[in-house]
Amino acid sequence: MEALWKQASRLKEQVSRQGVFKQFGAAYGSSDNVFTDESEVNLHQRLEKLYLSTRAAKHFQRDIVRGVEGYIVTGSKQIDIGNKLSDDSQKYGIGNTCTSGNTLSRAATFYGKARSLMEKERGNMLKAFGTQVAEPLRAMVMGAPLEDARHLAQRYDRMRQEAEAQAVEVSRRQNRVRESAGNDDVISKLEAAEYKLEELKSSMVGLGKEAVAAMAAVESQQQRLTLQRLIAMVEAERAYHQKILEILDHLEQEMVFERQKIEAPPIPAAQTYMAQPPPSYDEVNGMFASSSVNDSVTSVDFFLGEALDSFKAESEFELNLSVGDIVIVRKISGNGWAEGECKGKAGWFPHAYIERQERVLASKVPHIF
């Protein structure tokens, strides 16, 4: 009874495996004769597990390839968008005509150059994804070793079915021998059938071992190569993010510096004018002037300026200024002085003390003359 129970259990296991093993390309026969050889059963189970493992690994490799290809397509579009933003930023930085300073234009130029570097690094990462990840895995999915191993498994399956059919034939001839009461011809045919069955089983076991070895080699290669490609993908992305961080750190320093220049309080005008005294009116008019003095003073179209800070005249040639005074500016000296008129008096004052005004309140006009 124990032997019958053991045989029935093996039959149940083999029937449950048939649904999966049909993936090799051939169906099992319908014979009730099954192999009870323990080594053959173990071989069959080993081959079945290898098939399931290599099939799952192949599907995973294919998923990685598809994911990487999609990432490359999306990333390439992002590179185009980023490069366009880089060009626009640098174009503004170069062509900016802002009259109040070039801080924003410089920041835009810095950003455009940094964006270009970042998109270049993104391109390097996508290239690594393609050459180091997608291409090797695609080659393995479509490669010969896996297909060759599967062909061996299919041949083993077909030979196993042939051996099962031959086992049925042996069983049938054994019944005839029992019925023929020792007929030599029937016995001879039985012996020939049994010999053929043994040859088939021997060949089947050899082919099964060859198929197992081939599938095991493919499985090992799949595991090793897929892990290597995953590591390569992680390393490429990690290197990309490190480069991006370096670029952003440098960009932030540049832009913060520009922001600090905007937010810094203005330097008092009293600290900006030259210590060199202004030229006298006689010098400017050429009475005792040298050519160098004449070259340093430029007559300009008269314009109005508003005093930003107070200035106390220290000589008869200088002009007192108070905050908010409106000055008619007539000359500008190369050493930082300007000449003009305010409140009916004329004289020199530091040019940095005033700010040019295009318009002046009418209430302030009478104070000029």
Side-chain angles (χ1 to χ4, degrees):
M1 288 297 295
E2 183 178 0
L4 291 175
W5 180 85
K6 188 175 181 180
Q7 185 173 357
S9 299
R10 289 177 180 172
L11 177 61
K12 182 178 180 181
E13 291 178 3
Q14 199 148 1
V15 170
S16 64
R17 290 194 299 268
Q18 287 180 5
V20 174
F21 209 70
K22 287 179 182 179
Q23 300 289 341
F24 290 128
Y28 282 99
S30 59
S31 171
D32 293 333
N33 293 277
V34 295
F35 297 102
T36 58
D37 182 80
E38 187 70 22
S39 61
E40 197 283 328
V41 172
N42 292 336
L43 184 68
H44 176 79
Q45 292 176 343
R46 172 67 172 157
L47 191 57
E48 177 185 333
K49 292 178 180 179
L50 284 169
Y51 171 77
L52 294 174
S53 172
T54 54
R55 182 181 65 174
K58 177 181 179 180
H59 290 170
F60 180 49
Q61 289 174 333
R62 184 177 296 163
D63 291 340
I64 294 175
V65 171
R66 289 173 179 172
V68 169
E69 289 174 343
Y71 195 91
I72 291 174
V73 171
T74 303
S76 299
K77 294 180 181 179
Q78 292 177 332
I79 289 176
D80 293 338
I81 295 172
N83 285 332
K84 178 63 167 59
L85 178 57
S86 170
D87 294 340
D88 292 341
S89 299
Q90 294 188 69
K91 182 179 179 180
Y92 174 82
I94 295 173
N96 177 36
T97 58
C98 179
T99 59
S100 61
N102 63 349
T103 301
L104 178 58
S105 62
R106 287 171 57 82
T109 301
F110 293 150
Y111 177 80
K113 292 180 178 179
R115 172 56 60 184
S116 178
L117 292 175
M118 287 189 288
E119 298 309 332
K120 182 179 179 181
E121 293 299 332
R122 188 195 300 271
N124 292 337
M125 179 186 67
L126 296 180
K127 182 178 179 181
F129 280 2
T131 58
Q132 300 179 22
V133 181
E135 291 179 7
L137 290 181
R138 186 186 300 110
M140 189 166 188
V141 169
M142 306 299 295
L146 178 59
E147 294 303 316
D148 291 345
R150 288 189 169 190
H151 289 159
L152 286 174
Q154 291 172 359
R155 287 175 55 195
Y156 165 79
D157 185 53
R158 288 192 294 269
M159 185 170 291
R160 196 172 194 279
Q161 293 181 61
E162 185 178 353
E164 286 182 339
Q166 187 62 28
V168 172
E169 177 67 15
V170 169
S171 178
R172 185 174 64 83
R173 292 194 177 278
Q174 287 175 343
N175 291 333
R176 288 186 178 181
V177 167
R178 286 192 292 269
E179 294 172 354
S180 64
N183 187 294
D184 292 339
D185 183 57
V186 174
I187 294 174
S188 176
K189 290 181 179 180
L190 172 60
E191 292 175 348
E194 289 175 341
Y195 179 76
K196 183 178 180 179
L197 176 60
E198 290 302 319
E199 282 189 333
L200 285 173
K201 291 175 66 175
S202 177
S203 299
M204 180 185 68
V205 171
L207 185 59
K209 290 180 179 179
E210 185 179 357
V212 165
M215 292 290 280
V218 169
E219 181 188 53
S220 176
Q221 185 183 26
Q222 283 179 328
Q223 298 292 309
R224 184 179 65 256
L225 180 61
T226 305
L227 178 59
Q228 289 175 350
R229 296 311 96 197
L230 284 176
I231 293 174
M233 184 163 60
V234 171
E235 290 176 344
E237 192 160 6
R238 181 173 181 270
Y240 162 74
H241 287 295
Q242 287 179 332
K243 290 286 186 180
I244 295 300
L245 183 59
E246 293 175 4
I247 294 172
L248 289 175
D249 284 343
H250 182 67
L251 174 61
E252 184 186 28
Q253 293 175 3
E254 292 178 322
M255 299 187 76
V256 167
F257 178 73
E258 294 299 323
R259 184 182 67 185
Q260 289 173 345
K261 290 198 301 185
I262 291 179
E263 296 176 349
I267 299 175
Q271 300 178 15
T272 61
Y273 78 96
M274 302 288 292
Q276 182 178 353
S280 67
Y281 281 100
D282 292 338
E283 291 176 325
V284 172
N285 292 330
M287 295 175 61
F288 307 101
S290 64
S291 59
S292 61
V293 172
N294 287 331
D295 292 340
S296 67
V297 178
T298 304
S299 295
V300 297
D301 293 336
F302 290 4
F303 66 87
L304 297 178
E306 182 177 356
L308 301 176
D309 201 355
S310 298
F311 172 70
K312 184 177 181 180
E314 297 181 357
S315 72
E316 58 180 316
F317 303 110
E318 298 176 3
L319 179 64
N320 287 314
L321 293 178
S322 298
V323 176
D325 284 348
I326 302 299
V327 187
I328 299 177
V329 182
R330 300 181 293 200
K331 294 183 178 67
I332 297 177
S333 172
N335 63 359
W337 292 85
E339 190 275 336
E341 183 178 350
C342 178
K343 298 179 181 179
K345 295 182 180 181
W348 293 92
F349 53 87
H351 185 206
Y353 275 55
I354 66 166
E355 182 180 50
R356 184 168 182 155
Q357 301 292 327
E358 300 297 334
R359 296 179 181 180
V360 176
L361 294 176
S363 60
K364 292 188 177 184
V365 173
H367 298 288
I368 302 176
F369 304 101

